[in-house]
Amino acid sequence: MSDTQTTSTNEEMPKEKEFTFLCVVDESPELGPALRFSCQRAKRVGGRVALVYVIQPAEFQHWMAIGDLMQEEAREEAEALLSEYSDKVVRATGKMPIIHLREGNTAEELISLIDEDKSISLLVLGGATGSDGPGPLVSYFVEKAAGKLRVPITVVPGNMTDEDIDNIT
């Protein structure tokens, strides 16, 4: 196992063969459409949503106490964000999401999580709409790492409206 910390909570364990849609929580604008897609698909097929937030390692390591404080603050922010989106999932699906909080490189942690948690059926990523491309995670998984995953990837364009998402789910 890697030397990253992992926290997972499952208030209600997913049923065998229940579809679980893994959605990456961050502060990007494309999270909204990706989360709505995940919730709508889970609701439609009787599945679940899993949320993952990956805390990046503290870059400032000169003084250990400051690095520890920065990590603690990052963890508190991550927990607050996960709580906020968890509430949204419950309102949208009627089910408590599976929560994963990890530390490390986001792409590496996603690959590890998907390998470890066999209930995950689909990775849902939000695609950025700016001129810089679809975003680092989408680019990485589509260009370099799609073959490393045991599940399909769905990229939800960040400019999709709620109505657009509802029509395709």
Side-chain angles (χ1 to χ4, degrees):
M1 180 146 190
S2 69
D3 53 341
T4 60
Q5 293 180 338
T6 301
T7 303
S8 297
T9 59
N10 296 320
E11 276 198 15
E12 187 181 314
M13 292 300 291
K15 299 174 200 162
E16 192 174 331
K17 298 186 183 183
E18 181 177 56
F19 287 103
T20 301
F21 300 86
L22 179 63
C23 189
V24 179
V25 174
D26 57 20
E27 296 186 54
S28 68
E30 52 271 12
L31 171 59
L35 185 64
R36 183 169 186 96
F37 178 90
S38 299
C39 289
Q40 294 296 89
R41 287 298 301 143
K43 190 173 171 182
R44 171 90 58 206
V45 301
R48 304 260 328 245
V49 173
L51 302 175
V52 60
Y53 188 100
V54 180
I55 299 170
Q56 300 303 304
E59 293 179 24
F60 187 78
Q61 298 281 335
H62 190 69
W63 291 293
M64 186 183 249
I66 294 174
D68 290 346
L69 180 62
M70 290 173 68
Q71 282 301 99
E72 182 59 33
E73 288 173 357
R75 185 173 195 84
E76 288 172 6
E77 289 173 19
E79 289 172 353
L81 207 54
L82 282 166
S83 177
E84 174 187 337
Y85 285 104
S86 183
D87 290 344
K88 290 181 180 189
V89 170
V90 171
R91 285 193 303 275
T93 67
K95 293 182 179 180
M96 188 70 181
I98 301 164
I99 304 293
H100 300 280
L101 179 55
R102 299 181 62 116
E103 294 181 25
N105 173 281
T106 303
E108 291 171 6
E109 290 302 317
L110 286 174
I111 292 169
S112 294
L113 175 58
I114 291 168
D115 284 345
E116 294 163 15
D117 186 344
K118 301 302 182 199
S119 74
I120 296 171
S121 311
L122 183 74
L123 173 61
V124 180
L125 299 173
T129 58
S131 60
D132 293 337
L137 278 180
V138 172
S139 295
Y140 177 75
F141 282 111
V142 171
E143 295 172 8
K144 298 178 181 145
K148 294 181 180 180
L149 295 176
R150 62 168 189 76
V151 300
I153 303 166
T154 295
V155 178
V156 180
N159 59 357
M160 288 188 79
T161 67
D162 290 351
E163 184 178 344
D164 292 337
I165 293 168
D166 293 348
N167 286 334
I168 64 168
T169 56

